[in-house]
């Protein structure tokens, strides 16, 4: 006759699991894997952990924000009526268009130059590597305003530019004063400066690719150009693109320096209007601040979605969008209200 581990006074049902010593017997509220639900624990009210200092800090921050907003609204020196007057004036919008044009052209030219400089920096050729290093070191050491002013006065050093054999005949000759307009000087100066920083961004992205990927591509006998275009560079974009988009925010703000090469961008226009209307200096500066915030915010939105796109291969779950955060916050608030009401 077979022996059983159950006491002789407890009934044994077919298919029931043995109860360990010291554990309550499995009742009708037991889960599929054992006694995980206790009616006494289910009746207890769950209280969230209190954070009193967090609420104190929140109150202090709200008071400071309220004081800042009150100062903006109640101080007549800001002249919000003049701010609304200048905000959409055609002369201001024309300066905004020039700012966008300079930023877009400089971003594209700077990225192309940065890729070329990064490839030269990573090249086994010592001449290309040295020239690229010197360029990056020099342009990152000199302030952007100095580069722009130097290019603006470049015609004083070289009245004509030519292409040909060094110390020999020239094949093409250009008049520098006709070629270098204010827009060209601004775009060239920003592009030269941007290329130096973009080169380091691209180089760091290429170096972030696992060395095994390079070795695997080389073991297949693929040409080096094909390896870079189809294997290395797509993986490096995961690091390059978010960082470079962040770099673009600095580029948008740097366009305000082109005013010093006689190009009336957004800041230059506001500065000129401030000289004509000295009583509206503060409203005009607020107008420039508003439009720069709009531009940098648009780039920041692009940066968020670009980083979210390229994080799919590195994170298990992509970061939530602002709309998803709002929905999650509403669901959490509803859950806390339900717990507090004892529903």
């Amino acid at each position: 006759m077979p022996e059983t581990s159950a006491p002789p006074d407890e009934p044994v049902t077919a298919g029931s699991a043995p109860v360990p010593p010291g554990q309550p017997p499995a009742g009708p509220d037991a889960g599929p894997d054992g006694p995980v639900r206790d009616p006494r624990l289910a009746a207890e009210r769950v209280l969230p952990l209190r954070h009193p200092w967090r609420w104190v800090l929140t109150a202090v921050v709200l008071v400071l924000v309220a004081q800042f907003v009150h100062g903006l609204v109640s101080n007549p020196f800001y002249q919000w009526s003049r701010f609304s007057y200048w905000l959409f004036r055609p002369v201001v919008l024309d300066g905004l268009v020039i700012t966008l044009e300079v930023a877009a052209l400089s971003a594209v030219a700077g990225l192309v130059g940065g890729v070329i400089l990064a490839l030269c920096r990573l090249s086994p050729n010592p001449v290309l590597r040295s020239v690229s290093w010197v360029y990056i070191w020099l342009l990152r050491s000199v302030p952007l305003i100095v580069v722009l002013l130097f290019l603006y006065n470049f015609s004083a050093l070289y009245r004509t530019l030519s292409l040909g054999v060094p110390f020999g005949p020239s094949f093409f000759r250009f008049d520098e004063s006709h070629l270098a307009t204010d827009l060209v000087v601004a775009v060239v100066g920003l592009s030269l400066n941007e290329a130096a920083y973009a080169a380091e961004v691209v180089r760091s992205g290429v170096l972030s690719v696992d060395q095994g990927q390079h070795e695997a591509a080389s073991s297949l006998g693929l040409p080096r150009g094909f390896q870079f275009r189809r294997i290395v560079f797509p993986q490096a974009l995961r690091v390059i693109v978010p960082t470079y988009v962040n770099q673009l925010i600095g580029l948008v703000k740097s366009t305000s320096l082109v005013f010093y090469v006689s190009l009336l961008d957004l800041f230059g226009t506001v500065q000129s209007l401030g000289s004509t209307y000295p009583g509206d200096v503060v409203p005009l500066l607020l107008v420039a601040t508003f439009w720069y915030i709009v531009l940098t915010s648009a780039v920041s939105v692009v940066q968020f979605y670009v980083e979210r796109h390229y994080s799919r291969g590195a994170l298990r779950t992509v970061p939530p969008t602002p709309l998803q955060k709002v929905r999650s916050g509403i669901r959490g608030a509803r859950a806390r209200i339900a717990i507090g009401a004892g529903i």
Side-chain angles (χ1 to χ4, degrees):
M1 184 176 181
E3 296 182 354
T4 175
S5 61
D9 55 345
E10 292 184 4
V12 178
T13 57
S16 60
V19 180
Q23 295 293 332
D29 296 328
D33 298 331
V36 295
R37 297 179 57 189
D38 189 340
R40 294 171 298 178
L41 295 178
E44 293 290 337
R45 182 183 178 186
V46 179
L47 296 177
L49 183 62
R50 305 298 183 183
H51 300 282
W53 288 109
R54 184 184 300 175
W55 287 104
V56 171
L57 181 61
T58 303
V60 172
V61 171
L62 288 177
V63 169
L64 294 177
V65 171
Q67 287 183 341
F68 177 73
V69 174
H70 178 264
L72 286 178
V73 175
S74 61
N75 193 341
F77 191 69
Y78 287 110
Q79 305 180 61
W80 292 109
S81 59
R82 300 299 296 169
F83 168 80
S84 59
Y85 171 79
W86 287 113
L87 186 58
F88 295 104
R89 299 299 296 176
V91 62
V92 175
L93 297 181
D94 290 341
L96 179 63
V97 171
I98 293 177
T99 296
L100 290 173
E101 185 178 4
V102 172
L105 294 175
S106 302
V108 174
L111 180 60
V112 173
V115 172
I116 296 174
L117 288 170
L119 293 178
C120 293
R121 184 83 186 276
L122 297 172
S123 172
N125 190 314
V127 175
L128 296 179
R129 193 169 59 247
S130 301
V131 171
S132 175
W133 182 87
V134 170
Y135 177 90
I136 295 172
W137 165 74
L138 183 63
L139 267 295
R140 291 201 307 175
S141 303
V142 179
L144 176 58
I145 183 64
V146 176
V147 176
L148 290 172
L149 292 177
F150 192 87
L151 291 175
Y152 188 67
N153 296 283
F154 197 71
S155 60
L157 298 174
Y158 302 99
R159 295 187 179 277
T160 59
L161 298 176
S162 61
L163 292 177
V165 180
F167 306 104
S170 59
F171 304 113
F172 301 98
R173 187 177 296 274
F174 308 96
D175 191 349
E176 198 275 342
S177 60
H178 294 164
L179 185 64
T181 61
D182 296 338
L183 180 62
V184 171
V185 170
V187 172
V188 170
L190 289 173
S191 301
L192 292 177
N193 183 78
E194 190 69 13
Y197 290 93
E200 291 300 283
V201 173
V202 175
R203 190 175 69 90
S204 63
V206 174
L207 293 178
S208 69
V209 178
D210 188 77
Q211 190 63 26
Q213 298 291 318
H214 296 269
E215 297 172 357
S218 300
S219 65
L220 295 175
L222 300 175
R224 292 180 60 86
F226 188 84
Q227 294 178 26
F228 181 79
R229 292 194 310 271
R230 303 300 298 271
I231 297 177
V232 177
F233 195 64
Q235 298 183 65
L237 285 177
R238 185 180 301 168
V239 176
I240 293 173
V241 174
T243 309
Y244 188 70
V245 174
N246 187 42
Q247 181 72 22
L248 292 181
I249 295 177
L251 174 63
V252 172
K253 294 187 293 184
S254 298
T255 56
S256 60
L257 296 176
V258 302
F259 167 69
Y260 294 98
V261 293
S262 302
L263 185 62
L264 292 180
D265 68 323
L266 176 61
F267 177 75
T269 302
V270 167
Q271 189 75 6
S272 300
L273 290 174
S275 301
T276 308
Y277 303 92
D280 290 349
V281 172
V282 173
L284 287 169
L285 290 178
L286 290 174
V287 168
T289 302
F290 173 83
W291 283 119
Y292 280 119
I293 290 176
V294 170
L295 294 180
T296 54
S297 300
V299 178
S300 299
V301 171
V302 174
Q303 178 192 4
F304 171 77
Y305 284 99
V306 168
E307 290 181 352
R308 189 171 183 269
H309 174 76
Y310 282 99
S311 66
R312 292 178 177 176
L315 302 178
R316 295 183 183 276
T317 56
V318 296
T321 62
L323 183 59
Q324 291 174 340
K325 289 182 180 178
V326 171
R327 290 177 178 174
S328 177
I330 293 175
R331 285 197 298 268
R334 287 179 177 176
R336 286 192 292 271
I337 292 174
I339 292 174
I343 300 176

